[in-house]
Amino acid sequence: MTIRLPGPDGTLRAYTPRAEPASFTTGAPLASRTVFSAAHVVADPLADAGPDAVAVDWDATLAFRRHLWAHGLGVAEAMDTAQRGMGLDWAGAAELIRRSTAEARSAGGAIACGVGTDQLTGPATLAAVRAAYEEQLALVEGTGAQAILMASRALAAAASGPEDYLDVYGHLLRQASEPVILHWLGPMFDPALDGYWGSPDLDAATETFLDVIAAHPDKVDGIKVSLLDARREVELRRRLPRGVRCYTGDDYNYPELIAGDEQGFSHALLGIFDPLGPLAAEAVRVLDTGDTAKFRELLDPTVALSRHLFERPTRFYKTGVVLLAWLAGHQSHFTMVGGLQSARPLPHLARAYELADGLGLFPDPALAETRMKSLLSVYGVDQ
């Protein structure tokens, strides 16, 4: 059996799907690395909601988190992968945080939740930015989850220089009841974050970032770096105070960064570990035994899929993530909050299917093939 897939030039090519999936085992939490998957949300396709409304299928959304916990991964909740700021507003994110943290307690799963300022819908003062952060921090800490201080569009717009970042983050870290994860999201993920930490010069921005951490090392569990620059991440993690961890958010270079070198390694908080969850967990369990070569043998082949999903414009990677969740049987439809399923062209989606199938990511390859053919037919591609 073959399936005809469209290429970037508009021509169709025959592809033969694999007959059997790869085999992955569930198991206990991972030992040598702390690994979070930033998880997507499942839209409610039957809700009578417009493009600006938030309609979430809570049962399917929470079921996907149980799937990740079953494989030993932690869940990074209400992050960029959950369409935070791209379809999921603060009210929806707050409900997601409350429901997911309750589910985490029931399942015994690790969870950390995003704290931002997205309840601000227009220009804001620094005082308003700080108050918005405080509101979200209080909610997350009130659920018992670990807080991830996300980069703020409102702060990027309101700050006049590095000193404003030092002031706002210093205030929040002094207020936090438990150590948090600081999140540096690059402009490739969100153009509104260009010049974060007070400068478009990444070297200068890095110094401000490190100054924030150095002033409050007891309140920083770790940093999540999403700059898609492996060299810069390695240099940064080598300068962190003792006890402060680096969680890679580099969806291009994660195998080498997690494997590490003689001077250290990165933990992980990755959007690509949403579709790669079982395979990623399997690889880290191998790494737990000290077999770095086997770890790389398992994880290196996944980079082609990740680079494809995260190709420019990178912020639309969520579309491919949700496509693969549908093809893998984790949800019954390919519909996204805010209609974001339309954000990638058909050839991109076809290539994502082909790469994921080649890795054995679909528990039922025949189901994935049937669903992909149904999507192709909607676009007028007959089989």
Side-chain angles (χ1 to χ4, degrees):
M1 297 292 292
T2 62
I3 180 172
R4 295 201 304 161
L5 300 176
D9 61 356
T11 61
L12 297 175
R13 67 187 187 282
Y15 172 71
T16 302
R18 62 186 294 158
E20 299 293 334
S23 177
F24 307 114
T25 58
T26 58
L30 311 177
S32 63
R33 304 290 188 273
T34 300
V35 181
F36 290 97
S37 165
H40 74 282
V41 293
V42 182
D44 180 354
L46 302 182
D48 186 10
D52 296 326
V54 178
V56 176
D57 181 335
W58 295 112
D59 289 342
T61 293
L62 296 176
F64 187 77
R65 280 132 184 84
R66 291 194 297 272
H67 154 72
L68 295 172
W69 287 320
H71 285 275
L73 300 170
V75 168
E77 190 55 277
M79 301 292 290
D80 187 55
T81 307
Q83 294 181 243
R84 190 79 179 266
M86 287 186 69
L88 188 71
D89 60 11
W90 166 234
E95 183 66 14
L96 178 63
I97 290 167
R98 285 189 286 263
R99 288 174 180 262
S100 289
T101 51
E103 197 72 21
R105 286 193 297 273
S106 176
I111 190 168
C113 299
V115 169
T117 63
D118 45 329
Q119 66 268 59
L120 301 174
T121 57
T125 64
L126 288 172
V129 169
R130 189 170 70 181
Y133 263 130
E134 289 173 336
E135 177 190 354
Q136 296 199 16
L137 179 61
L139 184 145
V140 169
E141 290 193 330
T143 67
Q146 183 176 20
I148 304 169
L149 292 187
M150 301 170 67
S152 163
R153 294 174 180 173
L155 179 55
S160 58
E163 64 283 351
D164 289 334
Y165 289 88
L166 292 168
D167 178 67
V168 170
Y169 277 91
H171 177 86
L172 294 169
L173 290 172
R174 286 189 296 271
Q175 186 172 315
S177 60
E178 299 291 341
V180 307
I181 298 172
L182 296 180
H183 185 194
W184 186 357
L185 191 69
M188 67 287 294
F189 289 94
D190 188 342
L193 299 176
D194 191 28
Y196 211 74
W197 305 110
S199 176
D201 181 293
L202 289 180
D203 291 334
T206 296
E207 296 307 317
T208 303
F209 188 44
L210 287 169
D211 285 346
V212 169
I213 299 165
H216 308 277
D218 60 321
K219 288 296 186 74
V220 181
D221 164 69
I223 62 170
K224 169 179 159 47
V225 187
S226 299
L227 298 175
L228 304 184
D229 185 334
R231 177 194 60 80
R232 184 172 294 278
E233 179 175 321
V234 170
E235 292 175 353
L236 178 56
R237 82 183 181 204
R238 289 176 179 172
R239 297 180 61 189
L240 292 174
R242 184 178 297 276
V244 176
R245 294 185 275 194
C246 180
Y247 294 89
T248 187
D250 188 332
D251 299 279
Y252 282 8
N253 304 292
Y254 51 93
E256 65 187 82
L257 291 164
I258 297 170
D261 55 30
E262 66 282 355
Q263 296 185 50
F265 56 83
S266 295
H267 300 273
L269 198 166
L270 288 161
I272 192 57
F273 280 5
D274 179 303
L276 290 184
L279 192 160
E282 190 98 342
V284 176
R285 284 196 181 87
V286 169
L287 189 60
D288 289 345
T289 70
D291 192 343
T292 303
K294 180 64 174 178
F295 165 80
R296 295 294 300 270
E297 182 182 328
L298 286 170
L299 210 55
D300 281 359
T302 68
V303 171
L305 171 62
S306 189
R307 285 178 175 259
H308 177 72
L309 294 183
F310 285 78
E311 70 181 12
R312 294 180 183 274
T314 304
R315 63 189 181 278
F316 294 123
Y317 74 88
K318 299 93 164 171
T319 301
V321 166
V322 174
L323 170 79
L324 297 184
W326 172 56
L327 296 177
H330 294 297
Q331 55 193 80
S332 61
H333 59 86
F334 179 40
T335 305
M336 298 177 67
V337 174
L340 205 64
Q341 68 273 8
S342 64
R344 292 292 202 188
L346 184 62
H348 175 92
L349 302 178
R351 181 61 176 158
Y353 160 74
E354 182 179 0
L355 290 168
D357 179 71
L359 293 168
L361 296 183
F362 302 133
D364 184 343
L367 173 66
E369 179 185 353
T370 298
R371 288 185 168 184
M372 191 65 208
K373 285 180 176 178
S374 72
L375 179 64
L376 290 166
S377 70
V378 170
Y379 282 80
V381 180
D382 295 326
Q383 296 298 315

